[in-house]
């Protein structure tokens, strides 16, 4: 299977909290070879992002899609 | 700073590809203690997600927000 | 009304499951003349996407905005 | 493969417009058995959404993930 | 027109920067009576969010949908 | 702190409605100097968006990230 998303993280389910409509799933044993972000070139300039910079990647849980093979 | 997102990944910028409006930034040296996903409880049931399951977390690059302190 | 989104699907509400904060709405009788996806050019190359290819379009329910006129 | 997204649309690639960083892909021959939206219960009440209602589902192209098997 | 999104901001277009595939549009004269965020209850607890708190609302430009009547 | 998002809105928490998994937070006293949207150049053309146009910016609550300093 090939998909049009740049980020593929391998992880193990740690816990599942099931709500009435939405559920929150936690993962650990996380590994990723590379990650990618798309942002405006304006933001890249304002942040002065360049190779070697240490950053934090912030992602809302709603944007994380678990896939099981 | 505290923010309302469940995922915080530490990473190092590897490359920046600047386009006319949007840019693609790649990261390596990725580390995260835990990750989280919010999905419908219906999806959790259909996938039969439970502690110990091995999964892939797929995230479109557009949903990754770099933060520099 | 004109809006800045490429995808407009006509559908009929089949069921509404109301939760405490979030609700899940299902639709059928779906019709769309065309759909569109924006992804990185890198993903297009890796997937080798070209006219005629059969694909599945995966969309998290949270990204679907119902509009009623 | 099982994934945590409620919407699976079968489609055929019609055109690919490749930009410097991002690309726009169009699809036709669209078919979906069912679609789903998650929104606040407050929005459901204000829209008075109920079975049988005719709606439009608006989705930004950036939220559509093509998958090729 | 009624739609299933909690945030409606009135604004005036200030500039349009057109790229090959994506464009960046800037707005000013911004007014909104109320705004809303949906996040995990866990995040609300960790941030200790309560009435009266001063916050910043951060939104990626890709998630802003302009509508013209 | 510098982050890769174009929109920063100052606001005050008005109410918090805590659900089992997700919560809905409302804000008032909203102020923003400028806002930005990224959309396809095709949408810009179809909407004929140009400086001076009055628009509404529609944003799903799930895409709003509160940050507290």
């Amino acid at each position: 299977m090939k998909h049009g998303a740049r980020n593929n993280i391998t992880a193990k389910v740690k816990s599942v909290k099931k709500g009435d409509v939405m559920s929150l799933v936690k993962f650990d044993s996380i590994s990723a070879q590379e990650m990618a972000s798309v942002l405006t070139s304006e933001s890249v300039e304002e942040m002065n992002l360049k190779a070697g910079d240490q950053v934090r990647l912030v992602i809302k849980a709603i944007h994380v899609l678990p896939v099981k093979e």
Side-chain angles (χ1 to χ4, degrees), chain A:
Chain A
M1 187 207 69
K2 283 175 176 173
H3 62 76
R6 294 284 77 200
N7 296 294
N8 270 290
I9 301 172
T10 304
K12 202 173 0 185
V13 177
K14 193 164 70 173
S15 66
V16 177
K17 184 181 176 192
K18 248 167 108 172
D20 53 4
V21 169
M22 302 304 279
S23 293
L24 174 62
V25 183
K26 300 283 188 70
F27 308 90
D28 58 9
S29 318
I30 293 144
S31 89
Q33 291 213 281
E34 182 184 86
M35 285 196 68
S37 166
V38 166
L39 63 172
T40 59
S41 299
E42 239 188 61
S43 285
V44 169
E45 280 155 34
E46 269 184 34
M47 292 180 73
N48 187 25
L49 270 186
K50 54 190 183 308
D53 284 359
Q54 194 73 21
V55 296
R56 263 192 309 142
L57 305 176
V58 171
I59 306 161
K60 286 199 80 179
I62 200 80
H63 290 136
V64 174
L65 178 72
V67 173
K68 211 169 144 177
E69 263 122 334

